Amino acid sequence: MRWGGATGVGSMPGGDARETAKTVTGTFDGAEQGMPYLAELPARGPGADMIGRTAGLLVELYARVEPSGWRLGDRPGRDTRRAASWLGEDLDALEEFTQGYQGPLKVQAVGPWTLAAALELRNGEAALSDPGACRDLAGSLTEGLRTHLAEVKRRVPGAHLVLQLDEPSLTAVLRGQIKTASQYRTHRAVDRQLVESALRDVLAVHDGPALVHSCAPDVPFALLRRAGADAVSFDFSLLTERDDEVLGEAVEAGTKLFAGVVPGADGSLSDPAGSVMGVRTLWRRLGLNPGSLAESVTVTPSCGLAGASPAYARAALAHCARAARSLADSPE
């Protein structure tokens, strides 16, 4: 399957689902131009945000909004219903603008470890503090994703679905940097094998390609590959030369790189070729074949675009598509 040369990360500004779906599908109209995706519009409020949307997908676990954030509870409530309503609106809009579409289509959800770091138990501590709660959360997420992916496939039958798990808190979970409710201490680091196993189980729910996204520093590329990620999405500006070896191994093993090279916040955009100059430089430094660039790299914004203006978000996505064409046309 061709992934497409460019795509977005997930979130978009504003609250108009139809306008957003029109923008995303119009910019990325298939394998040649890129990969459209089911966007998130967190400006609408709780339930449309990244954590709330994924909490709404959980099976037999429910969450509600408290002053401190999202907290697990006993039964579905107003916030769960709101999350389902926002998602339904987004799916309706996506379906409208993908009539007859055939090609890759990306669907995002928060991964099990960022979810465990964000969702509170009844005592106010993160679910991350309880290994049993982490297991239950991962299992519930897996079943919820199974249903969600089937629904997207039903609405867009010609789509080749790509599952993206958002794990911006993963490095902090591995390093024991997630703060407790008191903010004075941190939760202990989670064993890497346990982290890898849970990710593998959740990724396995999808029988097609899957990737993990993190716009935090020090993305654990090797762990994600072992967990079964076919691609890794990251903020390219946060790479250091100590990532070179693991990146080279990943590319040679066939792992796709979703390189976040276009700023996620309003600002001036360089020429498309300039945006991917760092990717070309990385390829030369690693001694990789320039001809493999277009197949190995998908161009994205550095992170979600929720904080950008609508005009900049549209320009940034179009810029990603042009930068991807530049990589394909002039890999060196």
Side-chain angles (χ1 to χ4, degrees):
M1 182 194 115
R2 289 184 61 85
W3 295 72
T7 190
V9 171
S11 64
M12 291 285 284
D16 189 327
R18 289 188 73 256
E19 186 61 33
T20 300
K22 182 179 179 182
T23 295
V24 169
T25 57
T27 305
F28 305 122
D29 58 359
E32 291 303 316
Q33 297 296 324
M35 178 162 51
Y37 57 98
L38 177 61
E40 302 147 1
L41 298 173
R44 294 179 299 194
D49 61 297
M50 184 173 76
I51 298 298
R53 167 168 285 188
T54 302
L57 297 176
L58 297 175
V59 173
E60 296 183 358
L61 286 177
Y62 311 102
R64 65 179 185 273
V65 178
E66 298 286 346
S68 54
W70 285 90
R71 181 172 295 183
L72 292 168
D74 295 323
R75 59 183 66 85
R78 177 184 60 190
D79 298 317
T80 304
R81 290 191 294 271
R82 185 187 291 119
S85 176
W86 290 135
L87 177 58
E89 184 177 308
D90 294 336
L91 285 168
D92 288 344
L94 181 72
E95 183 177 6
E96 178 182 350
F97 289 101
T98 52
Q99 294 296 309
Y101 174 74
Q102 294 193 335
L105 176 67
K106 184 162 67 72
V107 178
Q108 304 84 221
V110 176
W113 295 107
T114 295
L115 204 59
L119 291 180
E120 299 174 356
L121 301 174
R122 292 177 183 83
N123 64 4
E125 288 294 351
L128 188 68
S129 65
D130 183 337
C134 290
R135 285 194 299 273
D136 291 345
L137 201 53
S140 176
L141 175 62
T142 300
E143 291 310 307
L145 283 173
R146 194 187 312 278
T147 301
H148 180 47
L149 291 167
E151 174 65 8
V152 177
K153 185 66 175 175
R154 183 187 70 78
R155 288 172 176 260
V156 193
H160 306 297
L161 295 186
V162 175
L163 172 63
Q164 174 180 309
L165 295 183
D166 291 315
E167 283 284 13
S169 299
L170 182 59
T171 299
V173 167
L174 290 166
R175 294 181 174 177
Q177 295 172 336
I178 301 297
K179 289 188 176 181
T180 60
S182 69
Q183 299 293 303
Y184 294 120
R185 297 173 53 246
T186 57
H187 295 288
R188 67 174 58 184
V190 180
D191 181 81
R192 295 180 76 88
Q193 290 187 332
L194 186 61
V195 168
E196 183 181 321
S197 175
L199 281 168
R200 183 181 297 110
D201 289 346
V202 177
L203 288 168
V205 73
H206 181 45
D207 59 5
L211 68 139
V212 177
H213 166 73
S214 173
C215 49
D218 299 320
V219 176
F221 290 97
L223 183 152
L224 297 177
R225 285 179 54 218
R226 291 195 303 270
D230 301 296
V232 181
S233 171
F234 56 95
D235 181 344
F236 191 84
S237 70
L238 298 179
L239 289 182
T240 66
E241 289 196 13
R242 68 173 178 267
D243 295 309
D244 280 5
E245 183 176 353
V246 71
L247 280 172
E249 291 173 353
V251 173
E252 290 179 344
T255 302
K256 183 90 168 180
L257 303 184
F258 279 53
V261 298
V262 177
D266 286 38
S268 59
L269 293 168
S270 68
D271 69 286
S275 292
V276 289
M277 185 59 69
V279 179
R280 293 188 178 95
T281 301
L282 172 67
W283 237 244
R284 286 195 296 272
R285 196 165 70 232
L286 297 178
L288 295 169
N289 175 14
S292 69
L293 260 173
E295 282 295 320
S296 300
V297 174
T298 291
V299 178
T300 74
S302 59
C303 206
L305 294 167
S309 66
Y312 177 82
R314 289 192 297 271
L317 295 184
H319 191 85
C320 288
R322 290 194 295 271
R325 283 196 293 273
S326 171
L327 268 189
D329 294 342
S330 304
E332 298 186 78

